[in-house]
């Protein structure tokens, strides 16, 4: 059955890199119908909204969604894809390809996966004036015995961690680690929290991960605090197999880890829910280079590799990943972020040529 893909470019370089990925997918003659409704900055000009009804309707009927990036305009698209469609498992593989420019001395063999909780935590942002908390929770005292009324004027932010959210993300991470172990990886889940300070919310996250992993006797488990983990990602990247963490920690660690594989121009991601899935580069709308045709399309093309895998087209996914690999191994056609002078379309063309 033909799979329906909805491509939403979004803002900044989003439309350029999504176009590049579409060209690559179209050159592969797959059983895909790729729909490209207008959205983002372009749609605001025409319809007065970044996410017109047509785009939303198509999104709702899709088998998978390819998304570019958001600056300001398309934040509501990202919000819809993540929190309305409930794509709670954000998978961010960190894999080094030979020939890629990285600040790491010995990057050969870096290959791990960050599983970021994508539906709660500090997102989508629940904030307000402290005075509101002082009024609603007059008896609340923190560990130091301070109540909200004791603060001066200021703002608060609330972090939500639910049992359901913890359970499903821990399970997603364990399933991925199991899958990877079958492919020869070490079979280890590293839970990352700040439970020494956030004893309740991070405590629940950590405890749930410890419980869920008991159902996977073939996997090993470890836990590190997020500050320690940041250091370990840089120092011992090859010791990592699967990281599972809450939303904001995963956001920050995935930008850091992305650098090991060449940065945001290279790092792909998938956001998977029970019914919907969308695929996007780890991010950056890169407004400074938008419209110049020099953005690296690889992160979005590798996100399409993840999309093909999700759609059950494993062989095709592998073919496409190998084409990307071949272009970097050769090292002739590189965008400026990789130390080259090529344009987005040259890299796209080079990848398409390797597919033939
Ligand atoms: C990401 C991005 C988003 C996030 C922004 C654009 C809201 O940084 O996908 O990592 O914070 O999750
Ligand atoms: Mn981010």
């Amino acid at each position: 059955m033909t799979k329906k893909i909805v491509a939403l470019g979004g803002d900044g370089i989003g439309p350029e890199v999504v176009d590049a990925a579409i060209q690559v997918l179209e050159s592969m003659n797959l059983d895909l119908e790729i729909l490209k409704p207008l959205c983002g900055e372009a749609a605001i000009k025409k319809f007065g909204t970044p996410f017109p009804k047509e785009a939303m309707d198509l999104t709702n009927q899709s088998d998978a969604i390819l998304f570019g990036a958001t600056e300001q305009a398309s934040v509501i698209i990202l919000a819809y894809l993540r929190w309305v469609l409930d794509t709670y498992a954000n998978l961010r593989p960190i894999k080094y390809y030979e020939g890629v420019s990285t600040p790491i001395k010995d990057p050969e063999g870096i290959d791990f996966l960050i599983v970021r909780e994508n539906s709660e935590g500090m997102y989508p942002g629940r904030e307000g004036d402290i005075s509101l908390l002082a009024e609603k929770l007059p008896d609340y005292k923190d560990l130091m015995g301070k109540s909200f009324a004791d603060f001066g004027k200021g703002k608060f932010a609330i972090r939500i961690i639910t049992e359901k959210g913890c359970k499903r993300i821990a399970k997603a991470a364990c399933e991925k680690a199991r899958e990877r172990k079958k492919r020869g990886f070490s079979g280890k889940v590293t839970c990352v929290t700040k439970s020494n300070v956030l004893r309740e919310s991070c405590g629940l996250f950590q405890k749930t991960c410890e419980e869920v992993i008991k159902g996977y006797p073939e996997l090993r488990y470890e836990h590190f605090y997020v500050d320690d983990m940041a250091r370990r990602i840089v120092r011992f990247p090859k010791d990592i197999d699967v990281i599972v963490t809450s939303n904001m920690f995963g956001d920050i660690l995935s930008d850091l880890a992305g650098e090991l594989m060449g940065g945001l121009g290279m790092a792909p991601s998938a956001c998977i829910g029970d019914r919907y899935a969308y695929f996007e580069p780890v991010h950056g709308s890169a407004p400074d280079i938008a419209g110049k045709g020099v953005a690296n399309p690889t992160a979005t093309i590798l996100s399409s590799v993840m999309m093909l895998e999700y759609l059950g087209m494993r062989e095709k996914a592998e073919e496409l990943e190998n084409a990307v690999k071949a272009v970097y191994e050769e090292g002739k056609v590189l965008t400026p972020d990789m130390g080259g002078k090529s344009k987005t379309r040259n890299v796209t063309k080079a990848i398409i040529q390797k597919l033939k």
Side-chain angles (χ1 to χ4, degrees):
M1 261 251 293
T2 306
K3 301 285 186 190
K4 248 193 206 153
I5 309 300
V6 174
L8 304 169
D11 312 327
I13 58 166
E16 301 164 48
V17 291
V18 165
D19 275 351
I22 293 173
Q23 272 178 48
V24 172
L25 289 169
E26 284 179 344
S27 81
M28 295 176 76
N29 292 318
L30 304 166
D31 200 5
L32 298 178
E33 184 190 2
I34 305 178
L35 304 157
K36 307 159 214 173
L38 201 63
C39 73
E41 284 154 353
I44 292 184
K45 282 191 197 126
K46 196 158 171 210
F47 299 108
T49 164
F51 200 26
K53 187 172 179 306
E54 191 213 348
M56 193 187 283
D57 289 346
L58 290 175
T59 297
N60 292 341
Q61 295 151 19
S62 67
D63 292 301
I65 301 138
L66 195 57
F67 183 63
T70 166
E71 175 63 22
Q72 273 299 324
S74 298
V75 164
I76 68 155
I77 303 180
L78 179 134
Y80 189 83
L81 297 175
R82 288 190 188 176
W83 303 309
V84 178
L85 301 188
D86 200 21
T87 54
Y88 60 86
N90 185 189
L91 312 178
R92 297 192 153 177
I94 305 297
K95 180 169 175 181
Y96 171 76
Y97 296 96
E98 194 192 324
V100 163
S101 152
T102 158
I104 295 288
K105 249 190 272 155
D106 177 26
E108 203 67 46
I110 290 176
D111 191 338
F112 62 90
L113 176 69
I114 298 177
V115 178
R116 166 192 182 193
E117 203 293 318
N118 214 28
S119 70
E120 49 187 41
M122 303 291 286
Y123 288 80
R126 293 169 204 88
E127 302 180 291
D129 287 320
I130 299 173
S131 60
L132 181 68
L133 286 185
E135 185 195 314
K136 298 286 180 201
L137 298 169
D139 301 325
Y140 182 89
K141 289 202 176 6
D142 66 21
L143 283 176
M144 305 308 290
K146 201 163 165 175
S147 52
F148 294 119
D150 297 336
F151 291 94
K153 273 192 185 166
K155 304 285 183 185
F156 69 83
I158 283 181
R159 181 167 188 262
I160 296 283
I161 301 286
T162 68
E163 288 182 11
K164 175 184 164 193
C166 293
K167 240 183 236 162
R168 65 185 187 176
I169 200 65
K171 198 162 163 242
C174 290
E175 288 295 328
K176 280 289 152 192
R178 174 176 273 174
E179 225 176 272
R180 282 169 61 90
K181 188 162 189 195
K182 288 190 189 134
R183 288 191 281 128
F185 290 94
S186 71
K188 182 171 72 172
V189 174
T190 306
C191 173
V192 176
T193 75
K194 189 73 185 174
S195 57
N196 49 345
V197 176
L198 300 173
R199 297 190 214 174
E200 302 264 348
S201 57
C202 277
L204 175 62
F205 193 94
Q206 184 180 350
K207 195 180 97 210
T208 310
C209 287
E210 282 164 14
E211 272 162 19
V212 170
I213 198 145
K214 286 186 192 144
Y216 297 79
E218 77 272 38
L219 301 180
R220 282 180 300 136
Y221 171 85
E222 63 188 8
H223 170 270
F224 293 115
Y225 298 128
V226 62
D227 46 348
D228 185 21
M229 196 64 213
R231 178 186 73 78
R232 286 170 188 276
I233 285 174
V234 176
R235 179 63 70 177
F236 310 116
K238 292 176 207 173
D239 289 351
I240 309 169
D241 184 7
V242 174
I243 291 174
V244 61
T245 192
S246 52
N247 208 340
M248 186 78 82
F249 295 157
D251 176 43
I252 297 165
L253 292 182
S254 60
D255 263 41
L256 170 75
E259 281 304 327
L260 305 181
M261 64 176 293
L264 296 181
M266 292 299 300
S269 102
C271 299
I272 314 273
D274 293 330
R275 160 70 185 89
Y276 291 97
Y278 91 95
F279 301 82
E280 62 178 350
V282 163
H283 247 91
S285 59
D288 52 328
I289 56 165
K292 295 191 177 144
V294 297
N296 188 347
T298 310
T300 314
I301 293 168
L302 288 174
S303 302
S304 315
V305 169
M306 298 181 82
M307 182 173 79
L308 296 181
E309 252 168 46
Y310 169 80
L311 293 171
M313 304 178 183
R314 176 147 280 189
E315 259 172 45
K316 292 291 167 186
E318 211 170 295
E319 245 173 63
L320 179 52
E321 189 189 7
N322 285 336
V324 171
K325 217 184 268 176
V327 167
Y328 282 96
E329 249 168 46
E330 220 169 70
K332 284 193 203 140
V333 188
L334 302 171
T335 40
D337 59 321
M338 290 290 116
K341 290 203 171 85
S342 301
K343 299 269 191 184
T344 310
R345 64 179 146 78
N346 304 119
V347 174
T348 309
K349 225 188 271 167
I351 293 171
I352 291 172
Q353 260 157 18
K354 292 289 177 205
L355 281 165
K356 287 178 183 151

